[in-house]
Amino acid sequence: MNPVPGPVPGPVPDPAPDFAGLFARLKAHIPEHCILSKVEDTRPYECDGLSLYRCLPPVVVLPETEAQVIAVLQACRAFNIPIVARGAGTGLSGGAMPHAQGILMGLAKLNRIKKIDLESATAVVEPGVRNLAISEAAAPYGLYYAPDPSSQIACSIGGNIAENSGGVHCLKYGLTIHNVLQVRMITIDGDVVELGSGAPDSPGLDLLAAFIGSEGMLGIVTEVTVRLIPKPPCAQVIMASFSSVDAASLAVTNIIAGGIIPAGLEMMDKRAVHMVEPFVKAGYDLEAAAILLCESDGTPDEVSDEVARMEQVFRLAGATRLQVSGSEEERLLFWAGRKNAFPAAGRVSPDYYCMDGTIPRRHLGRVLGAIEQMEDEYRLRCANVFHAGDGNLHPLIMFDSNQPSEVERAEKFGAAILELCVEVGGTVTGEHGVGIEKIDQMCIQFTREELDFFSALKRGFDPYGLLNPDKVIPVLARCAEYGKMHVHSGQIRFSDLPRF
């Protein structure tokens, strides 16, 4: 069946939205202290972790219950006012940037851990629960929640679902989508829908998979059932140094080719190491051109055997130094450096722009070499720290937002990296989402037919286009203006449209 052609119709708010009427309706259902409209109160919500894009929300609503979430959605539907959901605000793609004529709904107050079920090894939580808080609550039972974004101390599970977040251990244990069993969500009409189930499978279409990673465009999460796994009895990290990025990239390829699936496999280049080491003092090799952090977990015998195999692969790839964590404290210290790479960038640059693209592992050396050349082209520094095991890159472009020319060059630098990812067979995002940041690159990644299918799915959930509008899915005019027209069999589609 062909989708209805054309993009999702965005909301067409009245020139002067009836916020007075909206306030009156909201106040009948929501405590007054949960509705913010003064500039000094709404200013903290003007952007997420990507501060390049900002928009002051006219209204911020902070519901405390599912019933209040439903009331907000029904009010927005009644007054035809857009709504953007926000978790902890740690996202890095502008996905939670407010709408200039809409409501921003923060879900941080829905932060209860409702249940930890030991028989099924699951936890039922509200969307505002912090990622790390789930593992902390499950720790007394020897369980934990596997996805661990670098922001796990602050980011919320609802935001993780919106972006399909990963982390340093996603290579072995999967992304959010692999660790969530069920989601309770509210549609734009205020209907309660449950996706997935506690069973290994659920009847009907797999809408849970479509919903996870949909960036708040299909519905609002109010409850999540996540899978918990036993904490491994033993874990060790190898820190391997290499004299070149190419040698480190080869080692990554050879680890996977050797049938080894590490619990984590991360790479940091020399600039990243020099940026992080003074901040964390993890004992990183400052002479190395690149270092790998490779973790093994399991029983002591399994870990001992796997670490020996990993060391052999690294030596054959030309490792100049190998260090194995000798204690749990040292293992955590090694990872602390990697997980604090983003805040460490703030010590060496006024601003940084964290990119997120994914490439086939075999192209790591080529892409990192190209990024180094781009540093000269755009006259900006870039530190590379990323999930090497699954090819998810996180280049940190450093710039000064007080210099308009640097902001422009940083944006162009980031766009060039993303387009290179697509060129080598990768994608424009791995876990940060598209949001407003990568919407132009969606024109590079997908054909118009594919974008229309995305639009059709969006319309199925939100026919009014009120949920997080103007993000993720570019309209045809935007792709034409960006100048990225797909060529098929020598023919340019929509050849009648001018290229700007």
Side-chain angles (χ1 to χ4, degrees), residues 61-199:
V61 182
L62 305 172
E64 298 173 327
T65 66
E66 181 182 83
Q68 293 174 11
V69 172
I70 293 172
V72 174
L73 287 164
Q74 289 177 332
C76 287
R77 171 69 190 99
F79 287 90
N80 194 41
I81 289 178
I83 182 166
V84 176
R86 175 189 172 100
T90 60
L92 291 167
S93 64
M97 188 182 77
H99 191 281
Q101 292 182 306
I103 279 184
L104 185 133
M105 180 162 62
L107 297 163
K109 291 189 175 185
L110 275 69
N111 58 6
R112 292 184 301 151
I113 296 177
K114 293 184 173 182
K115 181 181 180 181
I116 293 182
D117 189 328
L118 300 183
E119 290 186 359
S120 62
T122 60
V124 180
V125 304
E126 290 183 328
V129 171
R130 293 179 302 110
N131 176 290
L132 185 59
I134 301 176
S135 291
E136 289 172 342
Y141 310 105
L143 301 171
Y144 75 110
Y145 178 62
D148 55 344
S150 294
S151 57
Q152 69 175 149
I153 192 172
C155 66
S156 64
I157 191 65
N160 291 172
I161 286 173
E163 309 298 348
N164 191 23
S165 302
V168 299
H169 291 97
C170 65
L171 177 61
K172 183 173 182 178
Y173 294 107
L175 303 164
T176 300
I177 193 171
H178 305 112
N179 291 276
V180 169
L181 299 174
Q182 192 168 19
V183 163
R184 183 178 172 94
M185 53 82 75
I186 316 299
T187 70
I188 186 61
D189 290 310
D191 296 326
V192 177
V193 178
E194 293 192 349
L195 307 176
S197 75

Side-chain angles (χ1 to χ4, degrees), residues 177 181 195-196 201-212:
I177 193 171
L181 299 174
L195 307 176
D201 200 359
S202 56
L205 297 173
D206 187 8
L207 295 178
L208 179 63
F211 187 83
I212 295 175

Side-chain angles (χ1 to χ4, degrees), residues 232-351:
C234 180
Q236 284 186 297
V237 175
I238 304 175
M239 182 168 64
S241 304
F242 294 88
S243 59
S244 71
V245 170
D246 282 341
S249 301
L250 176 64
V252 170
T253 301
N254 289 348
I255 281 285
I256 305 301
I260 303 171
I261 305 297
L265 180 53
E266 303 286 304
M267 184 188 292
M268 302 172 69
D269 68 6
K270 189 168 189 172
R271 177 168 283 135
V273 169
H274 278 254
M275 182 176 71
V276 169
E277 178 59 20
F279 180 53
V280 178
K281 297 179 174 59
Y284 291 162
D285 184 354
L286 296 176
E287 300 301 317
I291 68 168
L292 292 178
L293 296 175
C294 190
E295 180 166 290
S296 173
D297 64 10
T299 66
D301 286 344
E302 289 173 332
V303 170
S304 176
D305 176 68
E306 194 166 67
V307 165
R309 292 168 61 201
M310 291 173 174
E311 288 182 303
Q312 183 179 17
V313 171
F314 290 151
R315 288 192 185 96
L316 290 174
T320 57
R321 171 178 156 185
L322 294 174
Q323 183 178 345
V324 181
S325 61
S327 65
E328 179 65 4
E329 290 73 24
E330 188 172 37
R331 182 185 78 86
L332 294 174
L333 184 60
F334 285 175
W335 282 125
R338 164 61 184 89
K339 290 199 169 193
N340 283 283
F342 297 174
R347 294 165 57 91
V348 299
S349 176
D351 301 278

